[in-house]
Amino acid sequence: MGIAVYPGSFDPVTNGHLDIIKRAARISDSLIVAVLINSAKKPFFTTEERVEMLRECCAPFKNVTVESFDGLTVDFAKKHHASVLVRGLRAVSDFENELQLAQINHALMPGIETVFLTTGLRWGYLSSTVVKEAARYGSDVSRFVPHNVELKLKARFEELKGEVK
Ligand code: ADP
């Protein structure tokens, strides 16, 4: 697939995202994981933290790099000479939004194609939001996220608890 971009919030990266990264890396020459700065959404982890966690767990994949970006995904892709956007599809509920995104991106930049990889069944229910919710109430999230992310979530919720007291 030449150069591919996998954009997202990754707040934080989960095993579901990593599954997509691993598989997209296998079918592309190089893959750029693009972390949306997204100031409107008020992310839980800062851009730098999200990038750092991703870099740590993408280190084994030699053709994967991690960058942050602001603005339109297609502009980021163009700047990096990428012709493919990768997105993950978990369930039918993802489809409507993803279809719209792919179509608008294609309209904005016809040279760019969106490729969907379907989630491995075992990660179908996983989202960054449910992982944060589980971690907030002290559940073991080690099955859902890489170890560095698990530690970071624990530390952040401990910190927040300290602030509330
Ligand atoms: P966004 O805010 O752009 O949806 P996310 O970080 O939540 O960012 O997701 C980035 C991409 O990864 C999306 O294409 C999403 O469908 C996909 N994705 C999210 N969770 C999973 C998962 N568990 N398995 C596979 N793909 C996933």
Side-chain angles (χ1 to χ4, degrees):
M1 294 200 299
I3 303 172
V5 170
Y6 178 31
S9 312
F10 305 103
D11 189 28
V13 56
T14 67
N15 287 343
H17 295 128
L18 272 186
D19 178 47
I20 299 287
I21 291 171
K22 207 182 295 175
R23 289 158 50 204
R26 272 207 295 262
I27 54 171
S28 53
D29 294 323
S30 65
L31 176 71
I32 308 168
V33 181
V35 179
L36 186 58
I37 293 174
N38 203 351
S39 44
K41 243 188 177 178
K42 184 87 184 77
F44 186 67
F45 288 110
T46 65
T47 308
E48 292 71 27
E49 288 171 320
R50 287 179 280 149
V51 167
E52 192 192 339
M53 285 184 270
L54 270 161
R55 285 204 174 129
E56 285 165 1
C57 45
C58 290
F61 312 122
K62 294 304 165 217
N63 62 340
V64 176
T65 51
V66 182
E67 306 282 342
S68 60
F69 78 106
D70 212 353
L72 290 177
T73 309
V74 285
D75 288 333
F76 177 87
K78 193 176 170 199
K79 192 171 130 205
H80 292 269
H81 310 289
S83 49
V84 174
L85 299 178
V86 174
R87 295 287 286 176
L89 276 183
R90 282 165 291 195
V92 181
S93 49
D94 279 340
F95 183 77
E96 205 170 303
N97 187 38
E98 291 294 339
L99 179 69
Q100 191 185 20
L101 270 179
Q103 286 171 337
I104 182 78
N105 283 334
H106 194 73
L108 290 171
M109 218 163 275
I112 297 212
E113 299 295 345
T114 301
V115 167
F116 294 104
L117 296 181
T118 51
T119 307
L121 271 183
R122 56 194 291 231
W123 309 122
Y125 57 87
L126 208 53
S127 71
S128 300
T129 306
V130 297
V131 165
K132 279 179 287 197
E133 212 48 24
R136 182 191 308 277
Y137 296 106
S139 291
D140 175 9
V141 293
S142 59
R143 274 173 301 157
F144 308 141
V145 292
H147 189 57
N148 64 330
V149 175
E150 183 196 351
L151 295 181
K152 192 102 188 163
L153 279 165
K154 254 190 203 152
R156 173 56 46 84
F157 283 116
E158 284 300 320
E159 238 173 72
L160 289 176
K161 249 195 237 163
E163 280 169 24
V164 170
K165 270 180 198 159

